[in-house]
Amino acid sequence: MSTTVKSHSNWQWETATAGAVAGFATVAATHPLDVVRTRFQVNDGRVSNFHTYKNTGQAIFSIARFEGLKGLYAGFLPSVLGSTISWGLYFFFYGRAKQRYSKHREEMLSPGLHLASAAEAGALVCLCTNPIWLVKTRMQLQTPLHQIQPYSGLYDALKTIMRQEGWRALYKGFVPGLLLQVSHGGIQFTAYEEFRKVIVDYKCKDRKSNPRSSDSDILNSVDFAVLGGSSKVIAIILTYPFQVIRARLQQRPSVDGVPKYMDSWHVVKETARFEGFRGFYKGIVPSLLKNVPAASITFIVYENVLKLLKLTRRCD
């Protein structure tokens, strides 16, 4: 194996490792807001298994009061597992796609190629992780008001779903999840890369005269936080309805085994009919509170872990 090929291979695994570490750190810090967001998303104002929450703060207080720490961290294991795997795979596939598109190119990748790289990575990640997100959603929706025997954990949930609903149930919400992954990741990473160019060019006017300096040498953790947070806001606002549709599809069927929504189009029709446009943005406040700082943390950790791994490799 040539040195160049080996270097590319090392870089791919470095991005995957950095992404996985970043994903774990993010989930551990923000999970209660994720639980609140999920419960807002599926509460359509009709028959509900949840207390009525007025706002994000009251929801956290209510869950803590009636369900304790267990309620605030419901679905934590699949959430950590899903996020760690997703970020690791996403950065890995995204890095490989960018490397492939940049082959034989001297100029920087265009926004279109950044978008294509992110979309490709999102589709592959969705295929690998949908069952984990399904379990996470269902465990977050388990409350004392439910009449169905609750899942005791990740393994029990997967086993029960397979036995009662079949393997296809593991891919409920796959279509909106796929659209979400492709569009959300594409928008976020394209915005991230474009904002990154602007900041780098601003901070280093004479960059062309110093070609050896890389972006990671020019940017610091504050820059990565701003880049991660701002790109996340744009992606959330533009793609949030897909999250609501996916969460509603992934709800556990009732005692008689009948799901509340049959498919994505059914969710769209019912939500528009009973809740209007606002229904597609239920839970966006806790989503922003969770994901904007989370994205900042993720990119700070990712960029710095990547820098550390590259430094370690140079020393070797």
Side-chain angles (χ1 to χ4, degrees):
M1 183 184 290
S2 68
T3 304
T4 303
V5 173
K6 192 178 293 185
S7 175
H8 284 161
S9 178
N10 287 338
W11 184 77
Q12 289 163 12
W13 286 110
E14 286 168 1
T15 58
T17 302
V21 172
F24 178 84
T26 300
V27 173
T30 61
H31 189 75
L33 284 168
D34 191 46
V35 174
V36 172
R37 177 191 64 177
T38 302
R39 293 191 181 184
F40 271 123
Q41 286 176 340
V42 302
N43 195 338
D44 57 13
R46 290 178 280 169
V47 179
S48 176
N49 291 314
F50 310 107
H51 295 282
T52 301
Y53 305 129
K54 296 178 181 178
N55 52 53
T56 302
Q58 190 266 336
I60 292 175
F61 177 78
S62 180
I63 294 171
R65 180 183 177 189
F66 292 104
E67 302 171 52
L69 195 62
K70 185 178 179 181
L72 288 174
Y73 277 86
F76 181 68
L77 178 58
S79 187
V80 168
L81 186 63
S83 184
T84 303
I85 293 173
S86 292
W87 277 110
L89 289 177
Y90 199 98
F91 280 112
F92 178 71
F93 291 137
Y94 180 64
R96 288 196 65 176
K98 284 206 315 181
Q99 178 188 315
R100 188 172 65 254
Y101 289 129
S102 62
K103 202 172 183 180
H104 308 305
R105 286 173 175 267
E106 293 185 4
E107 70 276 10
M108 298 178 72
L109 292 181
S110 65
L113 290 177
H114 279 137
L115 186 62
S117 300
E120 181 181 316
L124 291 169
V125 168
C126 187
L127 186 65
C128 296
T129 60
N130 196 81
I132 300 174
W133 296 127
L134 174 83
V135 171
K136 184 215 75 163
T137 297
R138 291 192 174 186
M139 290 183 73
Q140 288 181 337
L141 297 176
Q142 292 184 154
T143 75
L145 298 176
H146 274 77
Q147 302 299 314
I148 306 173
Q149 177 68 29
Y151 303 129
S152 61
L154 175 60
Y155 176 71
D156 179 59
L158 290 170
K159 185 175 66 174
T160 303
I161 292 168
M162 290 282 287
R163 184 180 72 250
Q164 295 181 350
E165 304 170 61
W167 69 269
R168 287 189 177 182
L170 295 174
Y171 281 88
K172 282 186 176 179
F174 178 77
V175 172
L178 179 62
L179 293 172
L180 174 66
Q181 283 279 10
V182 171
S183 60
H184 188 101
I187 292 168
Q188 182 183 0
F189 275 76
T190 301
Y192 184 88
E193 298 286 358
E194 293 307 303
F195 290 161
R196 183 184 180 121
K197 288 179 191 174
V198 172
I199 293 178
V200 168
D201 290 341
Y202 176 77
K203 294 185 75 171
C204 188
K205 300 289 185 181
D206 59 342
R207 188 182 181 202
K208 293 181 180 179
S209 63
N210 187 17
R212 292 187 179 182
S213 63
S214 65
D215 288 2
S216 58
D217 295 326
I218 298 168
L219 302 176
N220 56 40
S221 292
V222 174
D223 297 322
F224 297 138
V226 172
L227 288 168
S230 57
S231 60
K232 193 69 174 179
V233 169
I234 295 171
I236 288 175
I237 291 172
L238 294 178
T239 65
Y240 193 76
F242 292 131
Q243 290 191 40
V244 173
I245 295 168
R246 182 178 67 173
R248 294 189 176 192
L249 276 176
Q250 290 183 337
Q251 293 179 85
R252 193 172 183 179
S254 59
V255 179
D256 57 9
V258 179
K260 192 168 186 178
Y261 298 101
M262 305 307 297
D263 52 37
S264 298
W265 181 236
H266 187 206
V267 178
V268 172
K269 286 192 299 182
E270 292 292 290
T271 303
R273 178 185 174 191
F274 291 101
E275 302 163 76
F277 181 76
R278 292 179 64 182
F280 293 102
Y281 280 87
K282 278 195 169 179
I284 194 169
V285 172
S287 184
L288 288 168
L289 290 174
K290 170 190 179 290
N291 287 298
V292 173
S296 296
I297 295 170
T298 296
F299 279 97
I300 289 171
V301 175
Y302 167 72
E303 295 283 4
N304 283 288
V305 170
L306 188 58
K307 193 184 296 186
L308 179 63
L309 290 171
K310 286 180 179 178
L311 182 62
T312 303
R313 177 157 52 87
R314 286 173 194 160
C315 293
D316 293 340

